[in-house]
mmCIF file with all atom_site columns, all heavy atoms in Angstrom:
data_model
loop_
_atom_site.group_PDB
_atom_site.id
_atom_site.type_symbol
_atom_site.label_atom_id
_atom_site.label_alt_id
_atom_site.label_comp_id
_atom_site.label_asym_id
_atom_site.label_entity_id
_atom_site.label_seq_id
_atom_site.pdbx_PDB_ins_code
_atom_site.Cartn_x
_atom_site.Cartn_y
_atom_site.Cartn_z
_atom_site.occupancy
_atom_site.B_iso_or_equiv
_atom_site.pdbx_formal_charge
_atom_site.auth_seq_id
_atom_site.auth_comp_id
_atom_site.auth_asym_id
_atom_site.auth_atom_id
_atom_site.pdbx_PDB_model_num
ATOM 1  N N   . GLY U 1 112 ? 19.931 14.233 -1.187  1.00 88.00 ? 137 GLY U N   1
ATOM 2  C CA  . GLY U 1 112 ? 20.378 14.960 0.009   1.00 88.00 ? 137 GLY U CA  1
ATOM 3  C C   . GLY U 1 112 ? 19.742 14.354 1.254   1.00 88.00 ? 137 GLY U C   1
ATOM 4  O O   . GLY U 1 112 ? 19.903 13.162 1.512   1.00 88.00 ? 137 GLY U O   1
ATOM 5  N N   . ASP U 1 113 ? 19.054 15.150 1.991   1.00 89.00 ? 138 ASP U N   1
ATOM 6  C CA  . ASP U 1 113 ? 18.354 14.638 3.236   1.00 89.00 ? 138 ASP U CA  1
ATOM 7  C C   . ASP U 1 113 ? 16.975 14.118 2.943   1.00 89.00 ? 138 ASP U C   1
ATOM 8  O O   . ASP U 1 113 ? 16.290 13.732 3.874   1.00 89.00 ? 138 ASP U O   1
ATOM 9  C CB  . ASP U 1 113 ? 18.285 15.787 4.248   1.00 89.00 ? 138 ASP U CB  1
ATOM 10 C CG  . ASP U 1 113 ? 19.653 16.165 4.817   1.00 89.00 ? 138 ASP U CG  1
ATOM 11 O OD1 . ASP U 1 113 ? 20.529 15.283 4.776   1.00 89.00 ? 138 ASP U OD1 1
ATOM 12 O OD2 . ASP U 1 113 ? 19.835 17.287 5.280   1.00 89.00 ? 138 ASP U OD2 1
ATOM 13 N N   . SER U 1 114 ? 16.561 14.094 1.707   1.00 91.00 ? 139 SER U N   1
ATOM 14 C CA  . SER U 1 114 ? 15.207 13.648 1.365   1.00 91.00 ? 139 SER U CA  1
ATOM 15 C C   . SER U 1 114 ? 15.253 12.218 0.794   1.00 91.00 ? 139 SER U C   1
ATOM 16 O O   . SER U 1 114 ? 16.214 11.802 0.222   1.00 91.00 ? 139 SER U O   1
ATOM 17 C CB  . SER U 1 114 ? 14.596 14.552 0.283   1.00 91.00 ? 139 SER U CB  1
ATOM 18 O OG  . SER U 1 114 ? 14.549 15.874 0.737   1.00 91.00 ? 139 SER U OG  1
ATOM 19 N N   . GLU U 1 115 ? 14.129 11.525 0.981   1.00 94.00 ? 140 GLU U N   1
ATOM 20 C CA  . GLU U 1 115 ? 13.868 10.244 0.334   1.00 94.00 ? 140 GLU U CA  1
ATOM 21 C C   . GLU U 1 115 ? 12.738 10.450 -0.623  1.00 94.00 ? 140 GLU U C   1
ATOM 22 O O   . GLU U 1 115 ? 11.704 11.083 -0.276  1.00 94.00 ? 140 GLU U O   1
ATOM 23 C CB  . GLU U 1 115 ? 13.440 9.230  1.412   1.00 94.00 ? 140 GLU U CB  1
ATOM 24 C CG  . GLU U 1 115 ? 14.570 8.479  2.069   1.00 94.00 ? 140 GLU U CG  1
ATOM 25 C CD  . GLU U 1 115 ? 14.031 7.384  2.942   1.00 94.00 ? 140 GLU U CD  1
ATOM 26 O OE1 . GLU U 1 115 ? 13.291 7.675  3.904   1.00 94.00 ? 140 GLU U OE1 1
ATOM 27 O OE2 . GLU U 1 115 ? 14.332 6.207  2.643   1.00 94.00 ? 140 GLU U OE2 1
ATOM 28 N N   . ILE U 1 116 ? 12.868 9.895  -1.808  1.00 95.00 ? 141 ILE U N   1
ATOM 29 C CA  . ILE U 1 116 ? 11.763 9.980  -2.824  1.00 95.00 ? 141 ILE U CA  1
ATOM 30 C C   . ILE U 1 116 ? 11.290 8.562  -3.087  1.00 95.00 ? 141 ILE U C   1
ATOM 31 O O   . ILE U 1 116 ? 12.064 7.753  -3.640  1.00 95.00 ? 141 ILE U O   1
ATOM 32 C CB  . ILE U 1 116 ? 12.243 10.682 -4.097  1.00 95.00 ? 141 ILE U CB  1
ATOM 33 C CG1 . ILE U 1 116 ? 12.802 12.074 -3.792  1.00 95.00 ? 141 ILE U CG1 1
ATOM 34 C CG2 . ILE U 1 116 ? 11.128 10.738 -5.111  1.00 95.00 ? 141 ILE U CG2 1
ATOM 35 C CD1 . ILE U 1 116 ? 13.472 12.752 -4.957  1.00 95.00 ? 141 ILE U CD1 1
ATOM 36 N N   . LEU U 1 117 ? 10.086 8.295  -2.676  1.00 95.00 ? 142 LEU U N   1
ATOM 37 C CA  . LEU U 1 117 ? 9.451  6.997  -2.924  1.00 95.00 ? 142 LEU U CA  1
ATOM 38 C C   . LEU U 1 117 ? 8.659  7.108  -4.212  1.00 95.00 ? 142 LEU U C   1
ATOM 39 O O   . LEU U 1 117 ? 7.752  7.879  -4.373  1.00 95.00 ? 142 LEU U O   1
ATOM 40 C CB  . LEU U 1 117 ? 8.498  6.660  -1.791  1.00 95.00 ? 142 LEU U CB  1
ATOM 41 C CG  . LEU U 1 117 ? 8.997  6.887  -0.334  1.00 95.00 ? 142 LEU U CG  1
ATOM 42 C CD1 . LEU U 1 117 ? 7.901  6.539  0.685   1.00 95.00 ? 142 LEU U CD1 1
ATOM 43 C CD2 . LEU U 1 117 ? 10.234 6.107  -0.074  1.00 95.00 ? 142 LEU U CD2 1
ATOM 44 N N   . GLN U 1 118 ? 9.038  6.315  -5.200  1.00 95.00 ? 143 GLN U N   1
ATOM 45 C CA  . GLN U 1 118 ? 8.417  6.373  -6.485  1.00 95.00 ? 143 GLN U CA  1
ATOM 46 C C   . GLN U 1 118 ? 7.488  5.202  -6.698  1.00 95.00 ? 143 GLN U C   1
ATOM 47 O O   . GLN U 1 118 ? 7.771  4.051  -6.351  1.00 95.00 ? 143 GLN U O   1
ATOM 48 C CB  . GLN U 1 118 ? 9.456  6.386  -7.619  1.00 95.00 ? 143 GLN U CB  1
ATOM 49 C CG  . GLN U 1 118 ? 10.275 7.657  -7.576  1.00 95.00 ? 143 GLN U CG  1
ATOM 50 C CD  . GLN U 1 118 ? 11.304 7.726  -8.716  1.00 95.00 ? 143 GLN U CD  1
ATOM 51 O OE1 . GLN U 1 118 ? 11.818 6.689  -9.113  1.00 95.00 ? 143 GLN U OE1 1
ATOM 52 N NE2 . GLN U 1 118 ? 11.548 8.918  -9.197  1.00 95.00 ? 143 GLN U NE2 1
ATOM 53 N N   . PHE U 1 119 ? 6.287  5.535  -7.228  1.00 94.00 ? 144 PHE U N   1
ATOM 54 C CA  . PHE U 1 119 ? 5.295  4.539  -7.566  1.00 94.00 ? 144 PHE U CA  1
ATOM 55 C C   . PHE U 1 119 ? 4.999  4.681  -9.054  1.00 94.00 ? 144 PHE U C   1
ATOM 56 O O   . PHE U 1 119 ? 5.710  5.324  -9.757  1.00 94.00 ? 144 PHE U O   1
ATOM 57 C CB  . PHE U 1 119 ? 4.001  4.795  -6.702  1.00 94.00 ? 144 PHE U CB  1
ATOM 58 C CG  . PHE U 1 119 ? 4.275  4.596  -5.225  1.00 94.00 ? 144 PHE U CG  1
ATOM 59 C CD1 . PHE U 1 119 ? 4.772  5.639  -4.455  1.00 94.00 ? 144 PHE U CD1 1
ATOM 60 C CD2 . PHE U 1 119 ? 4.061  3.372  -4.611  1.00 94.00 ? 144 PHE U CD2 1
ATOM 61 C CE1 . PHE U 1 119 ? 5.045  5.462  -3.122  1.00 94.00 ? 144 PHE U CE1 1
ATOM 62 C CE2 . PHE U 1 119 ? 4.300  3.190  -3.268  1.00 94.00 ? 144 PHE U CE2 1
ATOM 63 C CZ  . PHE U 1 119 ? 4.796  4.275  -2.517  1.00 94.00 ? 144 PHE U CZ  1
ATOM 64 N N   . GLU U 1 120 ? 3.919  4.034  -9.494  1.00 91.00 ? 145 GLU U N   1
ATOM 65 C CA  . GLU U 1 120 ? 3.619  4.030  -10.950 1.00 91.00 ? 145 GLU U CA  1
ATOM 66 C C   . GLU U 1 120 ? 3.461  5.444  -11.524 1.00 91.00 ? 145 GLU U C   1
ATOM 67 O O   . GLU U 1 120 ? 4.101  5.750  -12.523 1.00 91.00 ? 145 GLU U O   1
ATOM 68 C CB  . GLU U 1 120 ? 2.345  3.238  -11.204 1.00 91.00 ? 145 GLU U CB  1
ATOM 69 C CG  . GLU U 1 120 ? 1.999  3.168  -12.680 1.00 91.00 ? 145 GLU U CG  1
ATOM 70 C CD  . GLU U 1 120 ? 0.743  2.347  -12.939 1.00 91.00 ? 145 GLU U CD  1
ATOM 71 O OE1 . GLU U 1 120 ? 0.032  1.962  -11.960 1.00 91.00 ? 145 GLU U OE1 1
ATOM 72 O OE2 . GLU U 1 120 ? 0.474  2.100  -14.101 1.00 91.00 ? 145 GLU U OE2 1
ATOM 73 N N   . ASN U 1 121 ? 2.669  6.300  -10.920 1.00 93.00 ? 146 ASN U N   1
ATOM 74 C CA  . ASN U 1 121 ? 2.416  7.614  -11.475 1.00 93.00 ? 146 ASN U CA  1
ATOM 75 C C   . ASN U 1 121 ? 2.470  8.736  -10.451 1.00 93.00 ? 146 ASN U C   1
ATOM 76 O O   . ASN U 1 121 ? 2.064  9.842  -10.707 1.00 93.00 ? 146 ASN U O   1
ATOM 77 C CB  . ASN U 1 121 ? 1.066  7.624  -12.208 1.00 93.00 ? 146 ASN U CB  1
ATOM 78 C CG  . ASN U 1 121 ? -0.081 7.219  -11.291 1.00 93.00 ? 146 ASN U CG  1
ATOM 79 O OD1 . ASN U 1 121 ? 0.120  6.830  -10.169 1.00 93.00 ? 146 ASN U OD1 1
ATOM 80 N ND2 . ASN U 1 121 ? -1.268 7.271  -11.843 1.00 93.00 ? 146 ASN U ND2 1
#
Side-chain angles (χ1 to χ4, degrees):
D138 291 335
S139 300
E140 274 186 296
I141 303 171
L142 314 178
Q143 294 182 327
F144 296 86
E145 181 179 8
N146 56 355

